[in-house]
Amino acid sequence: MTTARFSINRFILCGCSYAVVLLMLLLPLVLIFTEALRQGFHAALSALLEPDALSAIRLTVFVTVIVTVTNTLGGIAAAWCLTKYSFVGKRFLIMLIELPISVSPVIAGLIWLLLFGQEGWWGNWLAAHNMQIAFAVPGIVLATLFVTFPYVTRTLMPYMEQQGRDAEEAAFLLGANFWQTLWQVTLPDARWALLSGILLTTARAIGEFGAVSVVSGHIPGVTETMPLHIETLYNGYQTVAAFSMAALLALCAMSTVLLRTIFEHSFRKQPS
């Protein structure tokens, strides 16, 4: 009787889970691709080849590459520091690293405007030196760096903590320097975690809207990334073009998430 009741509860729970996934995840994706192809594949492709659309794609790729490389290096350094050493203020540093996860992206964009906008703290100095950060590409990069910084660090930290310091101390005793120890001892054991964090950072950088929307100025062909361009197209009643760009953005996000899942699965299958 207990086994039958457990089977029924499991069936109900699994059914509810699948229903939520279908309604909240798969159905919106189906609708996006349906609307994108409503006038045919040629119309969708033509919308993506428009000058403003190509500019948005190029800017998104440019920002994503810079952000991913920077946050990968910074994330590795932060994870190493937090897991290999004990120091005063360690918990506070972890709290600061996790801050972008809990702070609204819109607030992050406003912070950069407060610092670098025309009326900001350093606005007059930047204007006097013919430098522009807010409403320009540097502001977009800074905003995206802020919101994506925690992912590599938080993904690497559990694996680096499990490693301990024995292998690294042995490498140092054998004459290896810091970089040799990092690349040949520490990171090989955490490579799947590192790749997972990189892909998560990439996915977030590609799809970031809130912080970028505030700090970019929404200038078509200049400071519009793919998410911002989607909003511009949709507000301009260019439905097919908006959903075509949304479909491309969804494909990019799904690809990174799929790769991350594959890497995590490969890591779990490795013998401990």
Side-chain angles (χ1 to χ4, degrees):
M1 184 69 178
T2 304
T3 304
R5 184 178 301 173
F6 176 77
S7 299
I8 293 173
N9 291 337
R10 183 175 62 179
F11 176 79
I12 294 173
L13 182 61
C14 291
C16 292
S17 300
Y18 276 110
V20 170
V21 170
L22 288 172
L23 291 174
M24 302 299 293
L25 298 178
L26 292 183
L27 183 59
L29 287 174
V30 170
L31 292 175
I32 287 173
F33 285 99
T34 300
E35 288 295 322
L37 299 173
R38 185 156 53 93
Q39 296 180 6
F41 179 78
H42 179 72
L45 183 60
S46 298
L48 295 176
L49 294 178
E50 290 290 328
D52 286 350
L54 290 175
S55 175
I57 294 171
R58 285 193 296 266
L59 179 59
T60 301
V61 172
F62 176 75
V63 171
T64 300
V65 170
I66 292 178
V67 166
T68 302
V69 172
T70 304
N71 277 344
T72 297
L73 297 176
I76 292 172
W80 176 287
C81 177
L82 292 169
T83 57
K84 307 301 180 180
Y85 302 101
S86 296
F87 52 89
V88 177
K90 180 177 178 178
R91 292 185 180 275
F92 180 70
L93 180 58
I94 294 175
M95 183 189 71
L96 289 179
I97 291 173
E98 294 178 343
L99 188 64
I101 298 177
S102 56
V103 171
S104 168
V106 175
I107 295 177
L110 288 173
I111 290 172
W112 294 118
L113 281 184
L114 177 64
L115 292 175
F116 303 120
Q118 276 190 335
E119 304 299 326
W121 292 358
W122 299 328
N124 292 331
W125 185 89
L126 291 170
H129 291 80
N130 294 321
M131 299 172 61
Q132 186 172 2
I133 294 180
F135 308 133
V137 175
I140 297 174
V141 172
L142 286 174
T144 311
L145 277 171
F146 178 83
V147 298
T148 58
F149 182 77
Y151 295 107
V152 172
T153 304
R154 293 304 300 171
T155 308
L156 274 178
M157 281 181 62
Y159 297 98
M160 285 190 173
E161 287 174 348
Q162 290 177 4
Q163 287 176 338
R165 296 196 60 184
D166 294 341
E168 293 158 352
E169 289 176 352
F172 285 131
L173 289 174
L174 291 172
N177 59 34
F178 171 79
W179 294 108
Q180 290 173 326
T181 303
L182 177 65
W183 294 114
Q184 298 178 21
V185 178
T186 305
L187 290 183
D189 290 338
R191 61 186 179 276
W192 298 121
L194 176 60
L195 286 171
S196 177
I198 291 172
L199 290 171
L200 194 60
T201 301
T202 301
R204 180 64 191 274
I206 291 173
E208 175 55 33
F209 178 85
V212 173
S213 178
V214 173
V215 81
S216 69
H218 261 293
I219 306 172
V222 180
T223 62
E224 275 195 347
T225 58
M226 291 169 67
L228 301 185
H229 189 59
I230 292 170
E231 183 188 38
T232 298
L233 292 172
Y234 191 78
N235 290 339
Y237 302 100
Q238 301 181 56
T239 307
V240 172
F243 278 100
S244 298
M245 183 65 74
L248 179 60
L249 194 63
L251 283 174
C252 294
M254 288 188 296
S255 298
T256 54
V257 171
L258 177 61
L259 287 173
R260 181 172 180 263
T261 303
I262 292 173
F263 289 142
E264 287 184 342
H265 181 68
S266 301
F267 178 80
R268 293 193 188 101
K269 288 177 64 177
Q270 284 185 329
S272 56

